[in-house]
Amino acid sequence: MERRGEILKRTVETWIMKENRDGLDRQEAHIYRNMVKELHQNEQELNVARVEELDKSPDSDTEGAASTASVQRELISQGV
């Protein structure tokens, strides 16, 4: 998922440069919008996976680690 996200980011950057340089026709704008949606969906899936990983971590049994994991989950869910 992370690799896919990186590829999507580079592709979207390329489309943004093209849009700024030449403009996009209708078909290109449609493709660009779909890629942005896909990028956002991928980022959301990564964030969910990270939160699940934090929940499964063995350190979450102790009180300090649990509060740290809670803060990390909150930051991830906010997209920070």
Side-chain angles (χ1 to χ4, degrees), residues 28-80:
E28 291 171 332
H30 178 73
I31 293 169
Y32 169 66
R33 282 192 306 273
N34 284 337
M35 284 195 176
V36 170
K37 288 177 188 177
E38 191 175 338
L39 176 65
H40 287 195
Q41 180 180 355
N42 188 62
E43 289 292 325
Q44 180 62 30
E45 290 172 5
L46 276 171
N47 286 337
V48 168
R50 288 179 184 137
V51 168
E52 288 174 354
E53 184 70 27
L54 288 173
D55 287 340
K56 292 178 184 177
S57 69
D59 295 338
S60 62
D61 294 338
T62 62
E63 186 176 316
S67 69
T68 302
S70 174
V71 169
Q72 288 173 338
R73 280 193 301 276
E74 181 65 27
L75 290 173
I76 290 171
S77 68
Q78 293 174 1
V80 177

Side-chain angles (χ1 to χ4, degrees), residues 3-51:
R3 175 81 175 132
R4 179 181 172 142
E6 291 300 318
I7 292 169
L8 281 168
K9 284 178 188 177
R10 279 189 253 130
T11 305
V12 168
E13 288 173 4
T14 303
W15 280 99
I16 290 171
M17 288 188 293
K18 181 183 180 349
E19 180 182 30
N20 290 339
R21 186 180 59 242
D22 305 327
L24 300 176
D25 63 27
R26 264 181 88 174
Q27 183 178 8
E28 291 171 332
H30 178 73
I31 293 169
Y32 169 66
R33 282 192 306 273
N34 284 337
M35 284 195 176
V36 170
K37 288 177 188 177
E38 191 175 338
L39 176 65
H40 287 195
Q41 180 180 355
N42 188 62
E43 289 292 325
Q44 180 62 30
E45 290 172 5
L46 276 171
N47 286 337
V48 168
R50 288 179 184 137
V51 168

